Structures are given as C-alpha cells and as structure tokens.
C-alpha cells in the first residue's frame, strides 16, 4: 500500500472515530423514536440560572407506616405568609409538620400538575437540601427560585406558570422513617401565575 492510500485510510479511521464518539453522547431513544427523558433530578442546591426539569415518574421509595410527617398547609395561589398572615406572591408553598420526638431531615417532594382542560401533565421532584424540621414543630417551604433558606427551585416555564386553565397539583412529601404525606393544591382558571406577584 503506497503512502497516499495509507494516509487516506488513516484520515477515514479518525473521522469515523469522531462520528462514533459524537453518537455516543446522543440521548437514548425510546421505542417510538422520541428522545428519552433525562434521568437527572434537579435538587435544591441548583442555582437560579439552572433549569428545573420535569421528571418521568416518582423516584421516592418509602414504605414506612409511621405518620410522623404531615402537610398542614398547601397553596399554589393566594398564598399567605405563615408568620405574618399577610398575602405573598403566588408559588407552590407547603407547611410541613414533624410530630416525632426527633429532628427530621432528608425530606423529598414530588408533585404532579395537570391542566384540567388540555389534560397536559408535568411532574417535578426536589430534595429539600438543608431543611431540618425540629421535633414537634413546623417548617414552611417555597418553590420560587429565591436564594434563601427554605426556598427551592421551580420551572418558570411549567404548566403552573404558563397555563390559562385550572391546574391541579397532587403532592407527595417523604422523610426517612415517616409515612409519605399527601395533599393537593389548585391554581384556578385565569391568567397564568407570576412569580412573586
């Protein structure tokens, strides 16, 4: 084999390897050919510049039957500050009660949104990093992208923020050693909710 043919073969191998490498980074495809959803789950440690993405299913695994965790307040509009009782901006807001005799941490939240007109659905999962609920006390958390204690990321382009229709929430909250707590919330029909409005 002469030098010219050997050079052409080497170039072909290099180009093929680059193409195969690029193909390896392509997201997996489902049976229908659509791109499979990302398995990464956003956490509360994200910065506000990062996008909180929907998840395909509820990742929480908790079989405890001990009812130490309760959701005593849930709102997605007409929110109220639990301390002052004054109105605050629209956001998903949850007050969580630890009825056990020890502090509670490792708390996770999974919530589903459903547009009751279009039937469109989205689901989100958050680890409430940094949250510790003292024994026999309550803590309120907010999903509003603020960089403060007790505040966690949200998707500003979600059904909640974009739909003009009623959006129903189903919410699950879990903590190790406690039964999963569940509740609901509603965004009424009308203009889409505006962060901190």
């Amino acid at each position: 084999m002469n030098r010219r043919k050997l050079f052409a073969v080497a170039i072909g191998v290099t180009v093929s390897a680059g193409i195969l490498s690029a193909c390896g980074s392509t997201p997996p495809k489902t049976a229908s050919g659509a791109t499979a959803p990302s398995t990464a789950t956003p956490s509360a440690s994200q910065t506000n510049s990062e996008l909180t993405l929907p998840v395909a299913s509820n990742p929480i695994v908790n079989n405890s039957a001990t009812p130490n965790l309760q959701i005593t307040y849930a709102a997605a509009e007409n929110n109220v500050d639990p301390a002052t009782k004054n109105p605050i901006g629209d956001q998903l807001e949850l007050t969580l009660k630890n009825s056990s005799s020890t502090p509670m941490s490792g708390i996770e939240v999974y919530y589903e949104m459903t547009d009751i007109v279009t039937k469109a659905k989205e689901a989100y999962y958050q680890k409430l990093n940094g949250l510790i609920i003292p024994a026999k006390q309550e803590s309120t958390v907010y999903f509003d992208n603020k960089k403060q204690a007790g505040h966690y990321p949200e998707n500003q382009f979600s059904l909640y923020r974009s739909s003009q229709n009623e959006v129903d929430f189903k919410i699950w909250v879990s903590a190790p050693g406690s039964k999963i707590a569940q509740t609901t919330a509603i965004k009424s029909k009308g203009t889409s909710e505006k962060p901190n409005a």
Side-chain angles (χ1 to χ4, degrees):
M1 187 179 287
N2 64 34
R3 284 186 188 172
R4 186 170 293 172
K5 286 184 180 178
L6 187 58
F7 180 73
V9 168
I11 293 294
V13 168
T14 302
V15 169
S16 297
I19 291 170
L20 289 174
S21 174
C23 289
S25 64
T26 302
K29 301 284 184 180
T30 62
S32 64
T35 301
S38 170
T39 56
T41 51
S43 74
S45 62
Q46 292 177 297
T47 63
N48 291 345
S49 63
E50 295 174 336
L51 184 62
T52 300
L53 300 175
V55 294
S57 61
N58 186 347
I60 295 174
V61 178
N62 178 355
N63 297 317
S64 177
T66 306
N68 288 331
L69 174 64
Q70 295 88 39
I71 305 168
T72 60
Y73 176 78
E77 66 178 8
N78 302 321
N79 298 61
V80 175
D81 183 296
T84 66
K85 308 304 181 190
N86 291 328
I88 59 174
D90 294 330
Q91 59 205 281
L92 179 58
E93 176 185 2
L94 303 173
T95 299
L96 310 176
K97 181 178 181 180
N98 173 10
S99 60
S100 76
S101 58
T102 58
M104 184 177 286
S105 61
I107 300 165
E108 306 169 272
V109 174
Y110 171 79
Y111 56 95
E112 296 176 347
M113 306 174 185
T114 303
D115 182 312
I116 67 160
V117 174
T118 67
K119 306 305 180 190
K121 292 189 176 188
E122 287 179 1
Y124 294 88
Y125 169 77
Q126 295 281 336
K127 288 184 178 179
L128 301 188
N129 295 333
L131 178 64
I132 300 173
I133 307 175
K136 310 293 185 183
Q137 293 187 36
E138 294 184 339
S139 293
T140 299
V141 295
Y142 309 86
F143 298 86
D144 59 3
N145 285 327
K146 289 184 179 178
K147 295 182 179 179
Q148 301 172 12
H151 295 255
Y152 296 90
E154 68 157 341
N155 183 349
Q156 61 182 322
F157 305 107
S158 69
L159 283 175
Y160 171 58
R161 296 299 185 189
S162 61
S163 176
Q164 301 288 318
N165 305 316
E166 179 179 315
V167 175
D168 292 347
F169 283 74
K170 292 183 179 178
I171 303 157
W172 292 259
V173 183
S174 174
S178 297
K179 182 180 179 180
I180 294 174
Q182 298 182 46
T183 194
T184 59
I186 295 174
K187 178 200 83 74
S188 300
K189 177 181 177 180
T191 56
S192 56
E193 304 309 285
K194 302 300 181 187
N196 307 312

